[in-house]
Amino acid sequence: STSHTQTITVEDTVAPVFNESLPTNVTVSCSEVPTAVTLTATDNCDTDVEVNYSENITGQDDACGSSYVIVRSWEVSDCSGNSTSHTQTITVEDTVAPVFNESLPIDVTVSCSEVPAAVTLTATDNCDTDVVVNYSENISGQDDACGSSYVIVRSWEVSDCSGNSTSHTQTITVEDTEAPVFNESLPTDVTVSCSEVPAAVTLTATDNCDIDVVVNYSENISGQDDACGSSYVIVRSWEVSDCSGNSTSHTQTITVEDTEAPVFNESLPTDVTVSCSEVPAAVTLTATDNCDTDVVVNYSENISGQDDACGSSYVIVRSWEVSDCSGNSTSHTQTITVEDTEAPVFNESLPTDVTVSCSEVPVAVTLTATDNCDTDVVVNYSENITGQDDACGSSYVIVRSWEVSDCSGNSTSHTQTITVEDTEAPELVTELQDISVTCDEIPEVPELEFTDNCSDTIIVDSFEETNTFDSSSNDYEIIREWIVSDTCGNSAIFSQIIYVSSSSSIIEFTDERCIDDGTINLNQYLVNGETGGEWIVSSGNTSVSDNIFDPSTGDLGIYEFTYNTLSGGCTSSVVVTIDINNDCLVLPCGQEDVDISKAVTPNGDEHNEFFEVAGVGECGFIIDVQIFNRWGARVYQSKNYQNNWNGRSTNSSFGSHNFLPAGTYYYIVTLKNSGLKPFTGAIYLGTN
């Protein structure tokens, strides 16, 4: 066998190596000190080497601390003790002056009104953080009269704490070379009328340096020597200067001319064609001139062609003219053509065509007329009637015509046609109305009066009365109807309804008889001709035979008898009370002595004014009077009558002033204590 042995001795003799470029020594300003470099290293054996950095600053003890030395050291060793190091020396110096931050003002030459304000400058230093800019200003040459030309020197200076400094100077040369300026618009040259000369403008001015400039004004007028003084020239001047002698001026030339004619003040009358009644009054014109204050308008008028028969067609030419003192004139002409083309006009409202009844034919209207030219026009009237030949003579036509002409032949006419017809029936003149009455108040059939608008003859064709009475005490109606016509055959019907209500009436008689006077016929008390009834004994022990009461068959005393009837719905009762006594005396007055009125006419003629019971005035009898109408209703009673009844009723429903209607009435007169039977009879009452 063979063997070999190799011994390898391993040693670490190589130091670590820096990986980056090594910083060199430099001299810099304080604002440019570089940042310390971070170095790393690599070792051939040791994989975990670390670079150690250190820094030393020396010399930073001056007032600003802006000049010093920085020594920076980097050192690295491996685990075998091999080491590498590097040193950088940085020398810091302050050699840079502060720098102004703003743009620096330049030298200028300006007007006194344009001196710029001093600029405020600031500065920045690379080392000193608290630098201050110092400003100063010097003005020279400001000793002239206005103080408007001078020099301003402005200086700015700044230093840092190391003594580095920066400065700037601005020179402002101030001069017054500007003239004052007018503030207002300047008046221009004009050519005007004398009435339009403008007022002088007041101008003011402003100067850039002089604050108290005054504008001087002057005016010169030339050429104002003509007759009117209306053409001339005005030269107006304005001038202003500042205290440095700079001046401004302005001139306005006003040429005044009178080229305008006078002007009429009023609206000018135009040409017209009119009627002779419408010729307008001449207008009074006045005028105004722009220069002449005393112009006069001359007026003239010419009329031609007024030679026709009426003098209503002609021409009027009116002229107005006015001139001023410069000879400028204005004129106006109005032509008025006068014609008569208008017909006369009726003054009144014109009657229209009408259709009327014969009683309503209108009276012919009297028309007058007015003409615009002819003052004496006459209206001619005519009337024509046709067709008045019919049986009635009430239907015909009336044509009425009115015509009027003026002297120029213009005419106006109007026609009215009146158609007359009889279409109206007769009318009732007498008042006729429906009434309500009781059965004892039914009025007589009235005599009616009629009228017709055309015919004088009215014919009552028929009269009919219908009665609904059923012979009982029920209410009923009476209908009365008249048919009338005129001669033209127009007819009308008139009717009246009488509403009848039932009623009852009682007629009472009181009598005294001697038992020896014999029998009494009770029918003597039926004063109204009552029939159809029967006497019954209402009180007393007796009987009635054939209307006869015989007192001798009974005792002395009072007896009462009743007689009832029904007529036209009215129940009528006659009650007779007889006192039978034995006072059979012969009295001084007998039945033949009694005189009772047959008529009463209270009309104020002193004859028959009152109902009188005469002939017994000396007998001492008490007179009992009852008055009844034809239906048996009592309309008056007095138990002690004094001959004073004149037709008045105690029932206020009768007539005016309570007078009863005229007609026939019935009375019962009882002479108390006379022994005479009651007196009965009829009396006529005339109250119309």
Side-chain angles (χ1 to χ4, degrees), residues 96-328:
V96 179
V99 178
F100 290 112
N101 295 319
E102 293 80 18
S103 297
L104 300 178
I106 60 175
D107 295 342
V108 291
T109 297
V110 298
S111 171
C112 52
S113 62
E114 297 173 349
V115 175
V119 175
T120 299
L121 296 179
T122 60
T124 304
D125 187 66
N126 62 334
C127 294
D128 191 348
T129 60
D130 191 23
V131 291
V132 177
V133 178
N134 295 310
Y135 170 76
S136 63
E137 180 178 284
N138 180 47
I139 299 174
S140 61
Q142 200 175 27
D143 54 0
D144 63 329
C146 284
S148 301
S149 298
Y150 52 95
V151 176
I152 304 172
V153 178
R154 293 172 174 169
S155 298
W156 294 265
E157 186 173 4
V158 61
S159 298
D160 61 17
C161 59
S162 297
N164 302 305
S165 64
T166 300
S167 64
H168 178 72
T169 300
Q170 178 190 29
T171 300
I172 302 172
T173 303
V174 180
E175 298 178 351
D176 184 7
T177 58
E178 295 183 23
V181 177
F182 289 112
N183 296 319
E184 295 78 19
S185 297
L186 300 178
T188 59
D189 294 342
V190 290
T191 298
V192 296
S193 170
C194 51
S195 62
E196 297 173 349
V197 175
V201 174
T202 299
L203 296 179
T204 60
T206 303
D207 188 65
N208 61 333
C209 296
D210 191 347
I211 61 174
D212 192 22
V213 292
V214 177
V215 178
N216 296 309
Y217 170 74
S218 64
E219 179 177 286
N220 181 46
I221 300 176
S222 61
Q224 199 173 29
D225 54 0
D226 63 327
C228 284
S230 301
S231 298
Y232 52 95
V233 176
I234 304 173
V235 177
R236 293 172 174 170
S237 299
W238 294 265
E239 187 172 5
V240 60
S241 299
D242 63 16
C243 59
S244 297
N246 301 305
S247 64
T248 300
S249 64
H250 177 70
T251 300
Q252 178 191 31
T253 300
I254 302 172
T255 303
V256 182
E257 298 178 351
D258 183 8
T259 59
E260 294 184 24
V263 177
F264 289 113
N265 297 320
E266 295 78 18
S267 298
L268 299 179
T270 60
D271 294 342
V272 291
T273 297
V274 298
S275 169
C276 50
S277 63
E278 297 173 347
V279 175
V283 174
T284 299
L285 296 180
T286 60
T288 303
D289 187 67
N290 60 334
C291 296
D292 191 348
T293 60
D294 191 21
V295 292
V296 177
V297 178
N298 296 311
Y299 171 74
S300 63
E301 179 177 287
N302 181 48
I303 300 175
S304 61
Q306 201 172 30
D307 54 1
D308 64 326
C310 283
S312 302
S313 298
Y314 53 95
V315 176
I316 304 172
V317 178
R318 293 172 175 171
S319 299
W320 295 264
E321 187 171 6
V322 59
S323 299
D324 62 16
C325 61
S326 297
N328 301 306

Side-chain angles (χ1 to χ4, degrees), residues 391-658:
C392 290
S394 302
S395 297
Y396 52 95
V397 176
I398 305 172
V399 178
R400 293 172 175 171
S401 299
W402 296 263
E403 187 170 7
V404 59
S405 299
D406 62 17
C407 61
S408 296
N410 302 306
S411 64
T412 300
S413 63
H414 177 70
T415 300
Q416 178 192 30
T417 300
I418 303 172
T419 303
V420 181
E421 298 178 351
D422 182 8
T423 58
E424 296 183 23
E427 295 182 352
L428 180 64
V429 176
T430 309
E431 182 179 359
L432 183 67
Q433 60 184 359
D434 296 344
I435 59 174
S436 296
V437 299
T438 58
C439 55
D440 56 353
E441 296 175 343
I442 298 173
E444 298 287 349
V445 176
E447 291 291 334
L448 298 184
E449 181 182 351
F450 302 95
T451 183
D452 188 66
N453 62 331
C454 296
S455 177
D456 293 331
T457 302
I458 301 171
I459 304 166
V460 179
D461 297 315
S462 66
F463 169 75
E464 183 178 351
E465 181 175 280
T466 304
N467 193 324
T468 63
F469 177 59
D470 60 0
S471 300
S472 70
S473 60
N474 295 328
D475 295 345
Y476 60 96
E477 297 177 359
I478 299 174
I479 302 173
R480 294 171 176 171
E481 185 175 88
W482 294 261
I483 299 177
V484 298
S485 60
D486 59 18
T487 56
C488 293
N490 300 305
S491 63
I493 299 175
F494 302 97
S495 62
Q496 178 189 40
I497 301 177
I498 302 173
Y499 300 95
V500 183
S501 59
S502 62
S503 67
S504 60
S505 62
I506 300 176
I507 302 174
E508 297 179 349
F509 296 97
T510 302
D511 200 359
E512 295 182 6
R513 292 295 181 94
C514 174
I515 194 169
D516 295 333
D517 287 343
T519 60
I520 301 172
N521 185 350
L522 296 178
N523 281 350
Q524 67 180 318
Y525 298 102
L526 300 179
V527 296
N528 292 332
E530 294 89 340
T531 60
E534 181 180 356
W535 286 102
I536 62 173
V537 179
S538 304
S539 178
N541 186 17
T542 187
S543 61
V544 176
S545 177
D546 293 330
N547 308 318
I548 302 300
F549 165 49
D550 185 359
S552 64
T553 62
D555 299 327
L556 296 177
I558 296 175
Y559 296 87
E560 184 179 274
F561 306 93
T562 302
Y563 186 89
N564 295 320
T565 60
L566 176 63
S567 175
C570 289
T571 301
S572 176
S573 298
V574 178
V575 178
V576 179
T577 303
I578 303 175
D579 182 6
I580 302 300
N581 55 55
N582 57 4
D583 299 329
C584 301
L585 301 178
V586 177
L587 298 177
C589 298
Q591 186 162 344
E592 65 280 0
D593 299 315
V594 179
D595 183 13
I596 299 176
S597 298
K598 299 296 186 292
V600 176
T601 55
N603 54 15
D605 63 357
E606 299 183 359
H607 298 289
N608 300 321
E609 292 292 323
F610 299 98
F611 176 73
E612 295 185 1
V613 179
V616 293
E618 303 298 327
C619 300
F621 301 145
I622 295 175
I623 304 173
D624 185 327
V625 173
Q626 297 182 76
I627 306 295
F628 301 88
N629 63 17
R630 62 194 179 97
W631 295 282
R634 184 170 59 200
V635 296
Y636 177 78
Q637 180 179 19
S638 175
K639 293 184 179 295
N640 186 12
Y641 184 62
Q642 301 298 318
N643 289 332
N644 58 353
W645 182 70
N646 62 351
R648 289 183 182 270
S649 171
T650 55
N651 186 344
S652 61
S653 65
F654 289 99
S656 60
H657 308 294
N658 297 330

